[in-house]
Amino acid sequence: MNPVTAGRVEADASKSSTSGPVGIAGRCNVCGREVSFSYADPALYRESLFCEHCLSTSRYRSIARGLLRAIERLTGIVAPSLAELPRSAPRRLRVYDTQPAFRYGNCAYPLPELLAASGWIDVVASSYKPQLPLGIELRPGVLNQDLQRLTFADASIDIVVTSDVMEHVRLPERAHAEIRRVLRAGGHYVFTVPHGRMAETLVRVKVHDPEQPALDEHLLEPEYHGDVNNEGPGALSYRVFGTDLDEQLRALGFSVLYTKENLPAAGILDTELFECWLPGAEHDAVESPRPSWALDVDDPGELHAGPIQLVRWMEPVHCAERRRVFVLLADEVLRSPLLALGAASVLSMSFVPALAQISDDGLTLEASLFDWSGRRYPLLSVARRSPGEHAVPDRITVDLRRFAGREMWLELRCGPGPEHDPRADWLGLVEVAIGALHELALLQARTQRQWRMGNEVVHLSASYGHALYGAAESRADAPTEWAVLEVATGSDAATAPATVRARLAGAEPTPGETAYMFSHRLLFELMPRRPPHFGERLRTMPHDGPVHVLSLCAGAARIEAALARHAGRPIELTLVDVNRDLLERAARALPGNVRVALVQADVNSLPALPRRFHVALCVSGLHHVVELERVAQTLAGCLVEGGEFWSIGEQVGRNGNRLWQDDWQVANALFAALPERLRFNRGTQQIDTELPNVDCSTASFEGIRSEEVLGVLDRYFDRGDVHVRNVFLWRLLDLAYMENWHLDDAADRALICDLVCAEFLHWRAGGHASELNGIFVRRE
């Protein structure tokens, strides 16, 4: 049951060679040479990318990286390639590789030979000849073995290697149990296998009776892979493994790490790797390495603390924005869990002295990586003095690509200043995250969940009690939001300030309109295209019976109520929000044509919903969501065929509900020119000299990943009618300042018109729009 895959590799390579090879420059982790990795067809990356020196493939180099990591964990030896392993080691290792060394045409498997060349690694390989006795030597160093009945003694092997074998083994559970049996404590099992990462294994051949192969049933067309041990059609493929394989291995006592990283500089593309190991005397306390980690209350790492005990999480009062920090004192060390670093790994840190006044000589922060041998790799060292009031944390990002393929720990050390005075040297770690660059925002957003959630509930309950929302809910017969969207617009708006200003001449507020609503109605009058009319779209949907609508992050459902009133047809509405108080308010304000179901739940972990929906919508709520990808996938999955997702008034600007710097400078100049009475901040009860631009995501989920909302939606939906606008107008007349304006005063109305014109012209000139109104269609 041990196919040699070289025949398949050779055949695939010969089929693809007609188009001519293409080279990728890099360094081979098998032979250690600076080489060109050649391929003829990107679809064959896994079985090609031949090293021009040793002829290894991408799959074999993926196994080599697993072997190098296993050797590092077992001996502490770090080597960039198998050929560069030292000629001595603290201990001998015994490796069993089911693939003998070979060379066929332009492909070779030299791994066993290079391991043996070290002088301290004993290597045994195998083939399978069912007609011969098990355990006999077929040729020097190659034994006859059946993985389902290995002849090795218990606990006699340090590392077992299989390369695309297990899909051909009739009874893989027996084979894995045998591998578990022969491995020593702390032993490693390194392998590749075609793998879809679907939830369950795809069974091609069903085994009805383990002892009766004749009863096996082919569920799919037989598939054979090249096998030089078999003169027939090749080795029969019994399955394509799913993620249930991970659980089967864990049930045997293995720790399991699955990776599929693209490492072009190592000639590894589109190739998976399983690394499994058993606990042992030197490994009992070691967890599975993680591809990423972020400092959090529930995952703080390991603290090596000094004699002083204190509450480790605190909110420094001297910071300009509300934050929660993890405190390190002088001479204390924080160590991360074990990390499996990848080709895109980076370290992102944000920190600040945790006290406004620290020792006169300041403090230092050192960040380092450590490997299994205890070797230290310094990353950074920074010194900080007393920050004083209104401190802004430092942020540093460190590229870790040079450590790709390594298992390492991060250590952060707080030290006293150059005069070694540790008094009051408290370092506040705001954020610490290691992971792929594109994952950092999600890693950081997941932290401080309960603290942010508590702040979020208090903030939203207070906000929805404001007169702005109360006024909107009291207008039972006029959907104010949609009256704004009905305003006729032209497609030939000029950009000259005087011309634009003239279009707003004589603008008057409507009854009950706030300064915020008035300004945005005028802005929509200037826009060359109108945003979607969601109420009319709901009214005219071609569905018999009630329209099933799902609203996430529903809050008080003010917009949902207005939509239902405009539609005037039966609506089956499901409201989802984490805030029970807001859901109860929403239910009381809905019109009579709505039948409502309330679901109190965190949308980040939304439970299964009882039905599918014609429309799913979210009103200015996605920028509070941490698990954007999971929510978008859930939304796409709960829609009927042709169903739509509506994003209404969504914040898609800078994270933390901020303005981008260039937009803020324009907005701040307008703000500074306003009279003091219009700059009175109702929240702080102070007259602001400049427009606040604080990061609200440091203490809540406000704008936690707003920059990524539109990109994530594009991954799961096709765009229908999508509009993005509103750069800074919303900030100039938000809840902090809205009540300062008097719409019955012509001077105030004129100033609002000036702000609207400035907003429109800046948007036309390329300002970063922050408000999304769009219809997205389920992708079929």
Side-chain angles (χ1 to χ4, degrees):
M1 298 294 180
N2 182 10
V4 178
T5 59
R8 171 156 45 110
V9 173
E10 184 181 26
D12 289 345
S14 65
K15 285 189 291 185
S16 65
S17 61
T18 56
S19 59
V22 180
I24 298 176
R27 192 176 195 277
C28 179
N29 67 357
V30 175
C31 66
R33 302 291 188 94
E34 299 287 341
V35 295
S36 176
F37 303 107
S38 61
Y39 69 95
D41 184 348
L44 299 176
Y45 276 151
R46 185 178 185 270
E47 304 296 357
S48 64
L49 282 179
F50 302 101
C51 170
E52 63 182 355
H53 178 73
C54 70
L55 305 183
S56 63
T57 66
S58 176
R59 175 154 58 91
Y60 299 155
R61 286 186 294 276
S62 190
I63 290 174
R65 74 186 179 99
L67 279 168
L68 288 166
R69 288 208 285 216
I71 290 168
E72 179 183 355
R73 295 189 72 184
L74 290 168
T75 67
I77 290 174
V78 177
S81 71
L82 297 181
E84 295 171 276
L85 287 168
R87 293 300 179 257
S88 63
R91 54 170 291 195
R92 297 190 67 83
L93 296 180
R94 191 181 188 206
V95 175
Y96 167 44
D97 191 340
T98 61
Q99 173 65 72
F102 71 82
R103 176 167 179 163
Y104 293 98
N106 64 343
C107 175
Y109 185 77
L111 277 65
E113 296 172 341
L114 291 171
L115 290 171
S118 69
W120 49 272
I121 301 178
D122 301 317
V123 182
V124 60
S126 73
S127 289
Y128 180 48
K129 302 295 183 182
Q131 70 277 15
L132 298 177
L134 294 177
I136 68 168
E137 190 172 62
L138 300 174
R139 59 182 186 272
V142 180
L143 304 180
N144 188 32
Q145 294 289 341
D146 179 353
L147 275 170
Q148 301 164 126
R149 296 179 295 157
L150 293 173
T151 65
F152 303 114
D154 293 355
S156 59
I157 307 292
D158 293 293
I159 303 173
V160 173
V161 179
T162 69
S163 175
D164 278 23
V165 170
M166 285 298 171
E167 73 270 29
H168 303 291
V169 175
R170 182 169 174 268
L171 304 174
E173 299 85 357
R174 287 188 182 179
H176 282 134
E178 280 291 274
I179 290 172
R180 169 68 176 84
R181 178 184 65 80
V182 303
L183 277 173
R184 291 174 175 149
H188 285 64
Y189 172 34
V190 177
F191 70 98
T192 63
V193 66
H195 201 275
R197 298 310 282 175
M198 58 279 192
E200 296 182 357
T201 292
L202 172 66
V203 178
R204 304 187 62 86
V205 182
K206 185 174 182 179
V207 176
H208 289 283
D209 186 338
E211 310 307 325
Q212 298 291 329
L215 299 179
D216 292 356
E217 177 186 2
H218 288 271
L219 304 181
L220 298 172
E221 187 71 22
E223 179 178 292
Y224 294 90
H225 299 167
D227 181 5
V228 297
N229 290 318
N230 190 328
E231 296 179 358
L236 176 66
S237 176
Y238 283 80
R239 66 196 62 81
V240 178
F241 282 108
T243 56
D244 49 354
L245 172 61
D246 304 37
E247 296 309 313
Q248 294 167 15
L249 291 167
R250 291 190 180 101
L252 290 171
F254 285 106
S255 294
V256 180
L257 174 65
Y258 169 88
T259 55
K260 188 175 183 179
E261 293 188 273
N262 287 329
L263 305 167
I268 299 174
L269 293 176
D270 194 31
T271 308
E272 77 294 334
L273 178 68
F274 278 89
E275 298 169 80
C276 310
W277 60 94
L278 297 173
E282 66 273 42
H283 297 288
D284 282 334
V286 179
E287 298 180 356
S288 303
R290 310 184 192 181
S292 60
W293 173 72
L295 176 64
D296 194 15
V297 172
D298 299 322
D299 196 4
E302 180 182 343
L303 179 65
H304 299 265
I308 301 177
Q309 298 298 314
L310 73 161
V311 177
R312 289 294 166 178
W313 293 95
M314 61 176 286
E315 296 184 37
V317 296
H318 63 285
C319 287
E321 298 165 342
R322 188 179 178 191
R323 298 181 182 276
R324 200 181 195 201
V325 303
F326 183 88
V327 176
L328 278 184
L329 304 186
D331 297 321
E332 291 187 338
V333 173
L334 180 68
R335 194 178 206 191
S336 76
L338 179 64
L339 299 164
L341 301 180
S345 292
V346 296
L347 164 65
S348 178
M349 297 176 53
S350 179
F351 53 91
V352 65
L355 302 175
Q357 294 295 324
I358 59 177
S359 63
D360 291 341
D361 66 336
L363 58 77
T364 60
L365 168 62
E366 294 179 355
S368 306
L369 290 174
F370 286 81
D371 63 19
W372 282 92
S373 68
R375 181 181 175 185
R376 176 174 176 264
Y377 299 83
L379 298 177
L380 62 90
S381 179
V382 294
R384 289 294 177 264
R385 298 282 183 173
S386 294
E389 299 300 320
H390 308 294
V392 176
D394 295 285
R395 181 174 291 279
I396 294 177
T397 301
V398 182
D399 190 337
L400 302 180
R401 285 179 295 180
R402 66 188 184 277
F403 301 105
R406 304 284 302 278
E407 293 178 355
M408 310 186 85
W409 289 269
L410 171 71
E411 283 197 357
L412 303 177
R413 178 182 295 274
C414 176
E419 298 178 10
H420 303 287
D421 181 359
R423 292 175 295 178
D425 284 348
W426 290 25
L427 174 68
L429 297 173
V430 182
E431 290 177 349
V432 181
I434 285 185
L437 181 61
H438 67 277
E439 296 176 339
L440 283 182
L442 176 58
L443 287 173
Q444 293 161 350
R446 284 173 171 167
T447 62
Q448 307 297 329
R449 184 179 188 83
Q450 294 303 317
W451 180 68
R452 292 183 201 258
M453 183 64 74
N455 295 335
E456 182 98 339
V457 170
V458 172
H459 166 70
L460 291 178
S461 293
S463 295
Y464 276 103
H466 192 275
L468 170 64
Y469 302 108
E473 288 181 355
S474 66
R475 300 182 63 189
D477 59 346
T480 57
E481 197 73 13
W482 315 116
V484 172
L485 300 182
E486 287 278 21
V487 174
T489 61
S491 60
D492 59 347
T495 58
T499 306
V500 174
R501 184 65 175 79
R503 294 179 59 193
L504 302 181
E508 296 284 343
T510 60
E513 205 166 35
T514 64
Y516 180 91
M517 297 163 64
F518 176 57
S519 67
H520 282 74
R521 178 165 60 84
L522 299 186
L523 177 62
F524 289 145
E525 288 182 0
L526 295 178
M527 289 295 174
R529 295 173 58 220
R530 67 178 63 188
H533 193 311
F534 296 103
E536 186 63 19
R537 193 173 186 90
L538 184 59
R539 187 183 70 82
T540 58
M541 277 194 154
H543 299 299
D544 296 330
V547 180
H548 298 292
V549 179
L550 169 69
S551 175
L552 297 187
C553 307
R558 180 174 60 96
I559 300 301
E560 292 86 339
L563 285 171
R565 292 189 189 98
H566 185 96
R569 63 185 296 178
I571 306 290
E572 297 276 353
L573 179 62
T574 300
L575 300 179
V576 180
D577 199 275
V578 73
N579 191 316
R580 184 182 184 89
D581 174 55
L582 294 181
L583 286 174
E584 290 174 347
R585 291 193 216 177
R588 292 193 295 267
L590 291 170
N593 60 318
V594 176
R595 181 179 176 183
V596 65
L598 304 179
V599 178
Q600 184 181 5
D602 181 357
V603 297
N604 292 287
S605 52
L606 191 65
L609 296 168
R611 62 160 59 100
R612 302 185 79 183
F613 300 88
H614 302 107
V615 174
L617 61 86
C618 188
V619 180
S620 193
L622 289 182
H623 66 281
H624 293 264
V625 173
V626 171
E627 304 293 340
L628 280 174
E629 294 83 0
R630 182 186 302 170
V631 170
Q633 186 176 32
T634 299
L635 287 170
C638 75
L639 291 172
V640 301
E641 184 177 355
E644 297 177 349
F645 171 64
W646 298 352
S647 182
I648 304 175
E650 189 56 69
Q651 169 60 249
V652 293
R654 189 181 179 191
N655 286 347
N657 228 18
R658 292 172 291 170
L659 302 179
W660 295 100
Q661 188 64 24
D662 51 348
D663 300 324
W664 178 82
Q665 290 173 350
V666 174
N668 193 50
L670 294 168
F671 181 78
L674 294 175
E676 284 190 356
R677 66 177 180 84
L678 297 178
R679 291 186 278 113
F680 178 72
N681 190 315
R682 299 284 170 150
T684 64
Q685 297 294 299
Q686 302 285 331
I687 294 174
D688 290 334
T689 58
E690 63 178 26
L691 187 65
N693 199 32
V694 300
D695 185 350
C696 299
S697 67
T698 62
S700 72
F701 296 112
E702 187 72 42
I704 192 74
R705 296 180 66 196
S706 54
E707 297 169 28
E708 302 171 78
V709 167
L710 193 52
V712 170
L713 290 177
D714 283 338
R715 288 175 54 189
Y716 295 92
F717 298 91
D718 293 327
R719 292 195 184 192
D721 191 5
V722 175
H723 296 255
V724 184
R725 59 193 62 198
N726 200 347
V727 181
F728 53 69
L729 184 64
W730 59 281
R731 287 299 304 275
L732 296 172
L733 295 107
D734 65 8
L735 294 180
Y737 310 109
M738 185 181 69
E739 295 178 9
N740 298 331
W741 297 82
H742 301 286
L743 295 185
D744 55 354
D745 187 326
D748 279 12
R749 294 198 301 273
L751 282 174
I752 287 177
C753 289
D754 290 340
L755 295 179
V756 171
C757 290
E759 156 74 30
F760 174 74
L761 294 172
H762 185 65
W763 174 76
R764 288 293 296 263
H768 299 86
S770 62
E771 179 186 341
L772 166 67
N773 287 282
I775 294 171
F776 298 82
V777 182
R778 173 187 160 182
R779 186 173 294 155
E780 301 300 333

